Amino acid sequence: MSEPTERPDDDDPGAPAPDPGSGMLRVFGRQLKRFRVRAGLERSEFGARLGYSVSTIAAYEQGRRVPPPRFIDQADELLDAGEVLKEMREEVARAQYPAFFRGAAKLEAEAVELHVYANQAVPGLLQTPEYARAVFGMWRPLLDEDTLAQRVAARLARQGILSRTPMPTLSFVIEEATLRRPLGGAAVMRGQLEQILLIGHQRNVELQVMPTAREEHAALGGPFTLIETKEGRRIAYVEAHKDSRLHTERGAVREFEEQYGILRAQGLTPRESLTFVEKLLGET
């Protein structure tokens, strides 16, 4: 069967290159195109049946965008792919994250406990779409629009842990300066503070603010995340300048646990912290 009439993928010189390490997206895209062609469907017809535009289907087939799980399931059934596409769903989902974060993303999604110290920006699990876009929009070198949209979608997808059953135990210690930094502008920050209050009132979430005026501080080394898996493994994740490391050695993890424990004692209590955020919201 011949290829339906359309512009070949290689004839799109303006298409941005996939994120390094995202070879899985290209593999999925080739398989998707192969099944679509076998079914004798033009991109336009295929997209119309599933409710997606031609440009979106092209982006999926060229590995420039991450297809959502619902699309993968629908495409597999419509194209009679024998669950070949469905079997790639988990790896495709992981490809939406920057290469340096993929290992941590998998552990985070399955964690029974997650404890985050943030001193640069609001933690990703608490970010609104507008705030996340502002953060990624400031990256240098600049991200192209497809990659920027992909990163925002990936960040929001991580927030599924907030409503997961069974509920994980979550805690956040955020520097006061981070909450006062109006990334994206006053309107974006107002929405972000509202979201922090909303999530901070969930029963499985404890949120604390570390005041700038404190004379003692146990975590001057920078931000980190503590993860406990359902198997009881304790891991520390540290990220700095597009690089990261997962610490699994008990001695190293214990150091971060000690810092976090003392940091929580030095910060405002959860109730005081929510009152503080409400005060900031009233000032915006």
Side-chain angles (χ1 to χ4, degrees), residues 194-207 270-271 274-275 278:
E194 290 174 346
Q195 172 132 315
I196 288 174
L197 282 175
L198 183 65
I199 296 175
H201 280 98
Q202 291 186 194
R203 290 191 300 118
N204 63 320
V205 176
E206 289 194 349
L207 188 145
R271 180 173 294 181
L274 292 178
T275 300
E278 289 175 350

Side-chain angles (χ1 to χ4, degrees), residues 189-226:
M189 198 62 203
R190 181 174 180 81
Q192 181 59 72
L193 292 174
E194 290 174 346
Q195 172 132 315
I196 288 174
L197 282 175
L198 183 65
I199 296 175
H201 280 98
Q202 291 186 194
R203 290 191 300 118
N204 63 320
V205 176
E206 289 194 349
L207 188 145
Q208 292 179 253
V209 174
M210 183 63 178
T212 303
R214 285 291 195 261
E215 296 181 358
E216 296 180 324
H217 197 298
L220 293 177
F224 58 86
T225 299
L226 296 172

Side-chain angles (χ1 to χ4, degrees), residues 137-153:
M138 296 175 192
W139 280 30
R140 295 296 186 274
L142 289 171
L143 302 176
D144 61 74
E145 282 300 316
D146 279 334
T147 301
L148 195 154
Q150 174 182 315
R151 295 288 173 82
V152 172

Side-chain angles (χ1 to χ4, degrees), residues 26-80:
R26 297 191 292 274
V27 172
F28 176 85
R30 287 196 294 267
Q31 291 294 332
L32 176 65
K33 181 176 179 179
R34 181 173 292 113
F35 283 116
R36 176 180 62 76
V37 172
R38 187 189 69 174
L41 296 175
E42 299 272 358
R43 280 180 181 154
S44 57
E45 182 181 358
F46 178 53
R49 291 194 186 186
L50 297 182
Y52 292 83
S53 68
V54 174
S55 61
T56 297
I57 297 300
Y60 292 162
E61 291 185 349
Q62 294 162 11
R64 293 187 290 111
R65 290 182 61 182
V66 180
R70 183 169 178 269
F71 169 85
I72 296 175
D73 291 345
Q74 291 177 323
D76 192 281
E77 294 173 5
L78 176 61
L79 301 176
D80 192 22

Side-chain angles (χ1 to χ4, degrees), residues 37 59-60 64 86 110 121 125-126 166 195 211-212 239 283-284:
V37 172
Y60 292 162
R64 293 187 290 111
K86 288 183 179 181
E110 300 171 353
L125 292 178
L126 304 178
Q195 172 132 315
T212 303
E239 180 183 319
E283 296 173 358
T284 59

Side-chain angles (χ1 to χ4, degrees), residues 71-106:
F71 169 85
I72 296 175
D73 291 345
Q74 291 177 323
D76 192 281
E77 294 173 5
L78 176 61
L79 301 176
D80 192 22
E83 299 197 351
V84 171
L85 300 179
K86 288 183 179 181
E87 289 176 357
M88 303 169 72
R89 185 170 49 198
E90 182 176 343
E91 291 302 319
V92 166
R94 290 183 62 192
Q96 66 188 318
Y97 302 108
F100 63 83
F101 184 67
R102 287 177 190 145
K106 180 175 176 59

